[in-house]
PDB file of all heavy atoms in Angstrom:
ATOM      1  N   GLY A  18     -35.775  61.523  93.081  1.00  0.00           N
ATOM      2  CA  GLY A  18     -36.427  60.516  93.854  1.00  0.00           C
ATOM      3  C   GLY A  18     -36.598  59.182  93.162  1.00  0.00           C
ATOM      4  O   GLY A  18     -36.118  58.102  93.544  1.00  0.00           O
ATOM      5  N   LEU A  32     -34.410  42.457  99.365  1.00  0.00           N
ATOM      6  CA  LEU A  32     -35.563  41.544  99.475  1.00  0.00           C
ATOM      7  C   LEU A  32     -35.390  40.488 100.559  1.00  0.00           C
ATOM      8  O   LEU A  32     -36.464  39.976 100.938  1.00  0.00           O
ATOM      9  CB  LEU A  32     -35.916  40.955  98.163  1.00  0.00           C
ATOM     10  CG  LEU A  32     -36.179  41.883  96.930  1.00  0.00           C
ATOM     11  CD1 LEU A  32     -36.299  41.051  95.723  1.00  0.00           C
ATOM     12  CD2 LEU A  32     -37.451  42.762  97.158  1.00  0.00           C
ATOM     13  N   ARG A  65     -53.205  47.157  92.179  1.00  0.00           N
ATOM     14  CA  ARG A  65     -54.098  48.272  92.444  1.00  0.00           C
ATOM     15  C   ARG A  65     -54.224  48.714  93.872  1.00  0.00           C
ATOM     16  O   ARG A  65     -54.650  49.833  94.158  1.00  0.00           O
ATOM     17  CB  ARG A  65     -55.550  47.882  91.916  1.00  0.00           C
ATOM     18  CG  ARG A  65     -55.603  47.812  90.322  1.00  0.00           C
ATOM     19  CD  ARG A  65     -55.643  49.224  89.663  1.00  0.00           C
ATOM     20  NE  ARG A  65     -55.728  49.224  88.303  1.00  0.00           N
ATOM     21  CZ  ARG A  65     -55.710  50.215  87.654  1.00  0.00           C
ATOM     22  NH1 ARG A  65     -55.736  51.419  88.113  1.00  0.00           N
ATOM     23  NH2 ARG A  65     -55.698  50.179  86.297  1.00  0.00           N
ATOM     24  N   ALA A  72     -44.388  39.310  98.735  1.00  0.00           N
ATOM     25  CA  ALA A  72     -42.881  39.279  99.099  1.00  0.00           C
ATOM     26  C   ALA A  72     -42.219  38.635  97.991  1.00  0.00           C
ATOM     27  O   ALA A  72     -42.621  37.968  97.073  1.00  0.00           O
ATOM     28  CB  ALA A  72     -42.719  38.574 100.413  1.00  0.00           C
ATOM     29  N   GLY A  73     -40.817  38.945  98.004  1.00  0.00           N
ATOM     30  CA  GLY A  73     -40.007  38.374  97.056  1.00  0.00           C
ATOM     31  C   GLY A  73     -39.615  39.166  95.830  1.00  0.00           C
ATOM     32  O   GLY A  73     -38.702  38.837  95.102  1.00  0.00           O
ATOM     33  N   GLN A 102     -50.157  62.593  95.641  1.00  0.00           N
ATOM     34  CA  GLN A 102     -50.993  61.319  95.493  1.00  0.00           C
ATOM     35  C   GLN A 102     -50.224  60.162  95.986  1.00  0.00           C
ATOM     36  O   GLN A 102     -50.885  59.317  96.629  1.00  0.00           O
ATOM     37  CB  GLN A 102     -51.360  61.175  93.989  1.00  0.00           C
ATOM     38  CG  GLN A 102     -52.360  62.170  93.449  1.00  0.00           C
ATOM     39  CD  GLN A 102     -52.664  62.097  91.965  1.00  0.00           C
ATOM     40  OE1 GLN A 102     -51.694  61.609  91.216  1.00  0.00           O
ATOM     41  NE2 GLN A 102     -53.812  62.494  91.524  1.00  0.00           N
ATOM     42  N   ALA A 107     -49.836  56.143 100.287  1.00  0.00           N
ATOM     43  CA  ALA A 107     -48.984  55.342 101.189  1.00  0.00           C
ATOM     44  C   ALA A 107     -49.345  55.671 102.639  1.00  0.00           C
ATOM     45  O   ALA A 107     -49.362  54.717 103.399  1.00  0.00           O
ATOM     46  CB  ALA A 107     -47.447  55.802 100.939  1.00  0.00           C
ATOM     47  N   LYS A 112     -51.644  53.858 107.798  1.00  0.00           N
ATOM     48  CA  LYS A 112     -52.600  53.982 108.817  1.00  0.00           C
ATOM     49  C   LYS A 112     -53.576  52.866 108.999  1.00  0.00           C
ATOM     50  O   LYS A 112     -53.971  52.394 110.014  1.00  0.00           O
ATOM     51  CB  LYS A 112     -53.471  55.347 108.666  1.00  0.00           C
ATOM     52  CG  LYS A 112     -54.499  55.539 109.684  1.00  0.00           C
ATOM     53  CD  LYS A 112     -55.287  56.867 109.430  1.00  0.00           C
ATOM     54  CE  LYS A 112     -54.605  58.072 109.817  1.00  0.00           C
ATOM     55  NZ  LYS A 112     -55.393  59.341 109.822  1.00  0.00           N
ATOM     56  N   SER A 152     -44.333  66.088 117.104  1.00  0.00           N
ATOM     57  CA  SER A 152     -43.264  65.153 116.564  1.00  0.00           C
ATOM     58  C   SER A 152     -41.981  65.794 116.596  1.00  0.00           C
ATOM     59  O   SER A 152     -41.845  66.939 117.051  1.00  0.00           O
ATOM     60  CB  SER A 152     -43.719  64.762 115.173  1.00  0.00           C
ATOM     61  OG  SER A 152     -43.650  65.858 114.307  1.00  0.00           O
ATOM     62  N   LEU A 153     -40.902  65.119 116.216  1.00  0.00           N
ATOM     63  CA  LEU A 153     -39.593  65.550 116.291  1.00  0.00           C
ATOM     64  C   LEU A 153     -38.752  65.101 115.058  1.00  0.00           C
ATOM     65  O   LEU A 153     -38.777  63.922 114.783  1.00  0.00           O
ATOM     66  CB  LEU A 153     -38.947  65.002 117.685  1.00  0.00           C
ATOM     67  CG  LEU A 153     -37.542  65.467 117.840  1.00  0.00           C
ATOM     68  CD1 LEU A 153     -37.443  66.930 118.314  1.00  0.00           C
ATOM     69  CD2 LEU A 153     -36.885  64.534 118.931  1.00  0.00           C
ATOM     70  N   ARG A 178     -40.967  80.963 119.266  1.00  0.00           N
ATOM     71  CA  ARG A 178     -41.572  79.586 119.303  1.00  0.00           C
ATOM     72  C   ARG A 178     -41.037  78.723 120.438  1.00  0.00           C
ATOM     73  O   ARG A 178     -41.659  77.865 120.887  1.00  0.00           O
ATOM     74  CB  ARG A 178     -41.286  78.922 117.951  1.00  0.00           C
ATOM     75  CG  ARG A 178     -42.039  79.484 116.711  1.00  0.00           C
ATOM     76  CD  ARG A 178     -43.465  79.076 116.719  1.00  0.00           C
ATOM     77  NE  ARG A 178     -44.020  79.483 115.392  1.00  0.00           N
ATOM     78  CZ  ARG A 178     -44.074  78.665 114.331  1.00  0.00           C
ATOM     79  NH1 ARG A 178     -43.598  77.440 114.475  1.00  0.00           N
ATOM     80  NH2 ARG A 178     -44.592  79.105 113.277  1.00  0.00           N
ATOM     81  N   LEU A 191     -37.756  62.835 122.318  1.00  0.00           N
ATOM     82  CA  LEU A 191     -36.374  62.354 121.982  1.00  0.00           C
ATOM     83  C   LEU A 191     -35.996  61.206 122.974  1.00  0.00           C
ATOM     84  O   LEU A 191     -35.493  60.202 122.520  1.00  0.00           O
ATOM     85  CB  LEU A 191     -35.452  63.550 122.083  1.00  0.00           C
ATOM     86  CG  LEU A 191     -33.993  63.206 121.769  1.00  0.00           C
ATOM     87  CD1 LEU A 191     -33.820  62.610 120.486  1.00  0.00           C
ATOM     88  CD2 LEU A 191     -33.082  64.495 122.034  1.00  0.00           C
ATOM     89  N   LYS A 193     -37.805  59.222 124.772  1.00  0.00           N
ATOM     90  CA  LYS A 193     -38.692  58.041 124.488  1.00  0.00           C
ATOM     91  C   LYS A 193     -38.176  57.272 123.235  1.00  0.00           C
ATOM     92  O   LYS A 193     -38.182  56.010 123.235  1.00  0.00           O
ATOM     93  CB  LYS A 193     -40.106  58.392 124.401  1.00  0.00           C
ATOM     94  CG  LYS A 193     -40.999  57.254 124.241  1.00  0.00           C
ATOM     95  CD  LYS A 193     -42.532  57.674 124.102  1.00  0.00           C
ATOM     96  CE  LYS A 193     -43.426  56.520 123.910  1.00  0.00           C
ATOM     97  NZ  LYS A 193     -44.879  56.824 123.871  1.00  0.00           N
ATOM     98  N   GLY A 222     -27.444  87.072 125.280  1.00  0.00           N
ATOM     99  CA  GLY A 222     -28.771  86.673 125.279  1.00  0.00           C
ATOM    100  C   GLY A 222     -29.168  85.888 126.552  1.00  0.00           C
ATOM    101  O   GLY A 222     -28.331  85.392 127.238  1.00  0.00           O
ATOM    102  N   PRO A 231     -33.382  75.901 132.987  1.00  0.00           N
ATOM    103  CA  PRO A 231     -34.420  75.438 133.957  1.00  0.00           C
ATOM    104  C   PRO A 231     -34.998  74.084 133.464  1.00  0.00           C
ATOM    105  O   PRO A 231     -35.377  73.391 134.303  1.00  0.00           O
ATOM    106  CB  PRO A 231     -35.399  76.652 134.020  1.00  0.00           C
ATOM    107  CG  PRO A 231     -34.563  77.841 133.796  1.00  0.00           C
ATOM    108  CD  PRO A 231     -33.609  77.401 132.668  1.00  0.00           C
ATOM    109  N   ILE A 233     -33.552  71.898 131.604  1.00  0.00           N
ATOM    110  CA  ILE A 233     -32.591  70.894 131.619  1.00  0.00           C
ATOM    111  C   ILE A 233     -32.522  70.417 133.125  1.00  0.00           C
ATOM    112  O   ILE A 233     -32.423  69.211 133.437  1.00  0.00           O
ATOM    113  CB  ILE A 233     -31.182  71.410 131.224  1.00  0.00           C
ATOM    114  CG1 ILE A 233     -31.192  71.592 129.680  1.00  0.00           C
ATOM    115  CG2 ILE A 233     -30.089  70.532 131.608  1.00  0.00           C
ATOM    116  CD1 ILE A 233     -30.017  72.250 129.187  1.00  0.00           C
ATOM    117  N   GLN A 238     -33.633  66.514 137.597  1.00  0.00           N
ATOM    118  CA  GLN A 238     -34.182  66.128 138.802  1.00  0.00           C
ATOM    119  C   GLN A 238     -35.122  64.974 138.674  1.00  0.00           C
ATOM    120  O   GLN A 238     -35.425  64.253 139.706  1.00  0.00           O
ATOM    121  CB  GLN A 238     -34.999  67.289 139.351  1.00  0.00           C
ATOM    122  CG  GLN A 238     -34.165  68.476 139.760  1.00  0.00           C
ATOM    123  CD  GLN A 238     -34.973  69.817 140.067  1.00  0.00           C
ATOM    124  OE1 GLN A 238     -36.081  69.871 139.708  1.00  0.00           O
ATOM    125  NE2 GLN A 238     -34.290  70.786 140.925  1.00  0.00           N
ATOM    126  N   PHE A 253     -19.685  70.820 118.314  1.00  0.00           N
ATOM    127  CA  PHE A 253     -19.427  70.003 117.175  1.00  0.00           C
ATOM    128  C   PHE A 253     -18.005  70.008 116.760  1.00  0.00           C
ATOM    129  O   PHE A 253     -17.479  69.031 116.382  1.00  0.00           O
ATOM    130  CB  PHE A 253     -20.287  70.463 116.088  1.00  0.00           C
ATOM    131  CG  PHE A 253     -21.720  70.080 116.170  1.00  0.00           C
ATOM    132  CD1 PHE A 253     -22.770  71.074 116.505  1.00  0.00           C
ATOM    133  CD2 PHE A 253     -22.179  68.708 116.090  1.00  0.00           C
ATOM    134  CE1 PHE A 253     -24.054  70.661 116.673  1.00  0.00           C
ATOM    135  CE2 PHE A 253     -23.508  68.419 116.287  1.00  0.00           C
ATOM    136  CZ  PHE A 253     -24.422  69.386 116.615  1.00  0.00           C
ATOM    137  N   ARG A 259     -19.788  63.212 120.475  1.00  0.00           N
ATOM    138  CA  ARG A 259     -19.527  61.808 120.563  1.00  0.00           C
ATOM    139  C   ARG A 259     -19.778  61.215 121.909  1.00  0.00           C
ATOM    140  O   ARG A 259     -19.884  59.972 122.176  1.00  0.00           O
ATOM    141  CB  ARG A 259     -18.103  61.475 120.113  1.00  0.00           C
ATOM    142  CG  ARG A 259     -17.836  61.717 118.590  1.00  0.00           C
ATOM    143  CD  ARG A 259     -16.397  61.326 118.242  1.00  0.00           C
ATOM    144  NE  ARG A 259     -16.206  61.551 116.788  1.00  0.00           N
ATOM    145  CZ  ARG A 259     -15.657  62.688 116.351  1.00  0.00           C
ATOM    146  NH1 ARG A 259     -15.165  63.567 117.231  1.00  0.00           N
ATOM    147  NH2 ARG A 259     -15.492  62.820 115.052  1.00  0.00           N
ATOM    148  N   TYR A 268     -32.888  74.962 116.449  1.00  0.00           N
ATOM    149  CA  TYR A 268     -33.528  75.456 115.179  1.00  0.00           C
ATOM    150  C   TYR A 268     -32.867  74.610 114.042  1.00  0.00           C
ATOM    151  O   TYR A 268     -31.828  73.996 114.258  1.00  0.00           O
ATOM    152  CB  TYR A 268     -33.411  76.907 114.861  1.00  0.00           C
ATOM    153  CG  TYR A 268     -32.042  77.429 114.948  1.00  0.00           C
ATOM    154  CD1 TYR A 268     -31.281  77.694 113.811  1.00  0.00           C
ATOM    155  CD2 TYR A 268     -31.506  77.931 116.184  1.00  0.00           C
ATOM    156  CE1 TYR A 268     -30.038  78.213 113.839  1.00  0.00           C
ATOM    157  CE2 TYR A 268     -30.252  78.662 116.206  1.00  0.00           C
ATOM    158  CZ  TYR A 268     -29.538  78.717 115.075  1.00  0.00           C
ATOM    159  OH  TYR A 268     -28.250  79.242 115.125  1.00  0.00           O
ATOM    160  N   GLY A 272     -28.795  72.524 113.753  1.00  0.00           N
ATOM    161  CA  GLY A 272     -28.541  71.006 113.868  1.00  0.00           C
ATOM    162  C   GLY A 272     -28.132  70.383 112.541  1.00  0.00           C
ATOM    163  O   GLY A 272     -27.356  69.530 112.415  1.00  0.00           O
ATOM    164  N   PHE A 276     -24.755  68.157 110.989  1.00  0.00           N
ATOM    165  CA  PHE A 276     -25.021  66.785 110.693  1.00  0.00           C
ATOM    166  C   PHE A 276     -24.653  66.469 109.315  1.00  0.00           C
ATOM    167  O   PHE A 276     -24.095  65.424 109.005  1.00  0.00           O
ATOM    168  CB  PHE A 276     -26.508  66.629 111.030  1.00  0.00           C
ATOM    169  CG  PHE A 276     -26.926  65.088 110.727  1.00  0.00           C
ATOM    170  CD1 PHE A 276     -26.856  64.183 111.669  1.00  0.00           C
ATOM    171  CD2 PHE A 276     -27.356  64.724 109.432  1.00  0.00           C
ATOM    172  CE1 PHE A 276     -27.145  62.804 111.428  1.00  0.00           C
ATOM    173  CE2 PHE A 276     -27.622  63.483 109.103  1.00  0.00           C
ATOM    174  CZ  PHE A 276     -27.533  62.391 110.063  1.00  0.00           C
ATOM    175  N   VAL A 285     -29.886  59.770 107.783  1.00  0.00           N
ATOM    176  CA  VAL A 285     -31.312  59.555 107.597  1.00  0.00           C
ATOM    177  C   VAL A 285     -32.248  60.394 108.435  1.00  0.00           C
ATOM    178  O   VAL A 285     -31.891  60.722 109.559  1.00  0.00           O
ATOM    179  CB  VAL A 285     -31.538  58.009 108.031  1.00  0.00           C
ATOM    180  CG1 VAL A 285     -32.985  57.649 107.961  1.00  0.00           C
ATOM    181  CG2 VAL A 285     -30.710  57.028 107.136  1.00  0.00           C
ATOM    182  N   GLY A 290     -41.748  60.301 117.477  1.00  0.00           N
ATOM    183  CA  GLY A 290     -42.929  60.707 118.206  1.00  0.00           C
ATOM    184  C   GLY A 290     -44.348  60.369 117.482  1.00  0.00           C
ATOM    185  O   GLY A 290     -45.364  60.632 118.027  1.00  0.00           O
ATOM    186  N   GLY A 301     -32.487  66.884  99.519  1.00  0.00           N
ATOM    187  CA  GLY A 301     -33.743  67.260  98.763  1.00  0.00           C
ATOM    188  C   GLY A 301     -33.784  66.733  97.422  1.00  0.00           C
ATOM    189  O   GLY A 301     -33.239  65.724  97.138  1.00  0.00           O
ATOM    190  N   LEU A 306     -29.416  67.576  89.451  1.00  0.00           N
ATOM    191  CA  LEU A 306     -28.867  66.244  89.059  1.00  0.00           C
ATOM    192  C   LEU A 306     -29.829  65.302  88.398  1.00  0.00           C
ATOM    193  O   LEU A 306     -29.484  64.286  87.789  1.00  0.00           O
ATOM    194  CB  LEU A 306     -28.346  65.568  90.245  1.00  0.00           C
ATOM    195  CG  LEU A 306     -27.149  65.998  90.995  1.00  0.00           C
ATOM    196  CD1 LEU A 306     -26.999  65.218  92.307  1.00  0.00           C
ATOM    197  CD2 LEU A 306     -25.901  65.805  90.146  1.00  0.00           C
ATOM    198  N   PHE A 317     -30.651  57.293 100.692  1.00  0.00           N
ATOM    199  CA  PHE A 317     -32.047  56.553 100.598  1.00  0.00           C
ATOM    200  C   PHE A 317     -31.891  55.161 101.010  1.00  0.00           C
ATOM    201  O   PHE A 317     -32.877  54.600 101.663  1.00  0.00           O
ATOM    202  CB  PHE A 317     -32.507  56.734  99.144  1.00  0.00           C
ATOM    203  CG  PHE A 317     -33.909  56.211  99.031  1.00  0.00           C
ATOM    204  CD1 PHE A 317     -35.031  56.971  99.378  1.00  0.00           C
ATOM    205  CD2 PHE A 317     -34.169  54.879  98.634  1.00  0.00           C
ATOM    206  CE1 PHE A 317     -36.356  56.608  99.214  1.00  0.00           C
ATOM    207  CE2 PHE A 317     -35.478  54.417  98.515  1.00  0.00           C
ATOM    208  CZ  PHE A 317     -36.568  55.378  98.831  1.00  0.00           C
ATOM    209  N   ARG A 347     -34.951  46.528 129.987  1.00  0.00           N
ATOM    210  CA  ARG A 347     -33.686  46.605 130.551  1.00  0.00           C
ATOM    211  C   ARG A 347     -32.739  45.923 129.562  1.00  0.00           C
ATOM    212  O   ARG A 347     -33.012  45.097 128.810  1.00  0.00           O
ATOM    213  CB  ARG A 347     -33.643  45.898 131.841  1.00  0.00           C
ATOM    214  CG  ARG A 347     -34.709  46.403 132.875  1.00  0.00           C
ATOM    215  CD  ARG A 347     -34.397  47.841 133.201  1.00  0.00           C
ATOM    216  NE  ARG A 347     -33.160  47.946 133.856  1.00  0.00           N
ATOM    217  CZ  ARG A 347     -32.589  49.218 134.116  1.00  0.00           C
ATOM    218  NH1 ARG A 347     -33.193  50.287 133.788  1.00  0.00           N
ATOM    219  NH2 ARG A 347     -31.332  49.294 134.633  1.00  0.00           N
TER     220      ARG A 347
END
Side-chain angles (χ1 to χ4, degrees):
L32 298 175
R65 291 282 178 180
Q102 291 172 334
K112 180 179 281 189
S152 65
L153 182 72
R178 293 283 189 94
L191 179 55
K193 180 178 179 179
I233 293 172
Q238 291 172 343
F253 288 107
R259 295 187 179 93
Y268 56 93
F276 181 87
V285 176
L306 287 177
F317 187 83
R347 301 301 300 175

